[in-house]
Amino acid sequence: MGTMRMGWVVSTLGLAVALAPAEARSQSADPVRAAQIEAEAERLHERPGSWADAASLYLAAAALRQHEDPQARQDLFLAANLQYQLGDLPAAVAALESAGTRALSGGDSVFATQMFANAAVIADEAGLGDHERRLRSRVADLAGAAARQRGRS
């Protein structure tokens, strides 16, 4: 049983590596498979020595969900947190930005603003000045749009 599970984890990790760089738009949604991968990621998340694998699995699960699916945003947020804890700041920035972009697609500008703001802080910490400026600009644009919307109400 243990060997079978290890094989599944290894094959899932291969999937994570293959899917992580691409956005889910080109990937067929498979929420059942995503839930299986999330369950394994949660198990690995409990062990700090397995955080890198858990982050990869969360990314893979997000890639298997519809672009607007709130669970995909949560998966990306969890991956970003793990990557941050592991010191992979550029990967954390990318995951947070992806979560923000997906939130915008789903109409959740509040969550998107939070993700972009968090990504900007980490980009600054990582010395990624161009990314930080671009992300802060997105936050400002979203805040301005929200203010204009409130003014119309």
Side-chain angles (χ1 to χ4, degrees):
M1 177 88 171
T3 305
M4 181 71 116
R5 174 166 229 152
M6 181 54 80
W8 185 81
V9 171
V10 170
S11 68
T12 304
L13 289 175
L15 175 67
V17 171
L19 294 177
E23 281 295 324
R25 290 175 198 236
S26 62
Q27 179 68 28
S28 304
D30 188 348
V32 173
R33 183 80 173 122
Q36 293 170 339
I37 293 170
E38 288 157 356
E40 184 63 19
E42 287 173 25
R43 189 183 72 74
L44 294 173
H45 194 155
E46 295 174 8
R47 299 192 326 248
S50 299
W51 283 356
D53 293 338
S56 293
L57 290 176
Y58 282 126
L59 292 172
L64 290 171
R65 292 196 173 272
Q66 290 289 331
H67 195 71
E68 298 82 9
D69 187 334
Q71 183 58 49
R73 296 176 225 160
Q74 184 63 29
D75 291 340
L76 290 163
F77 179 72
L78 290 168
N81 281 320
L82 290 169
Q83 292 163 327
Y84 181 83
Q85 294 299 319
L86 291 166
D88 190 351
L89 303 186
V93 169
L96 288 170
E97 185 171 10
S98 184
T101 299
R102 284 173 171 248
L104 282 178
S105 292
D108 189 345
S109 62
V110 172
F111 187 81
T113 301
Q114 292 169 341
M115 294 302 99
F116 294 142
N118 290 341
V121 169
I122 296 170
D124 181 45
E125 186 178 332
L128 303 170
D130 290 341
H131 281 69
E132 182 216 354
R133 284 185 290 283
R134 184 176 47 75
L135 289 162
R136 290 202 189 280
S137 176
R138 288 191 88 171
V139 169
D141 290 346
L142 287 169
R148 286 188 297 280
Q149 184 66 29
R150 281 191 305 272
R152 290 184 202 143
S153 301

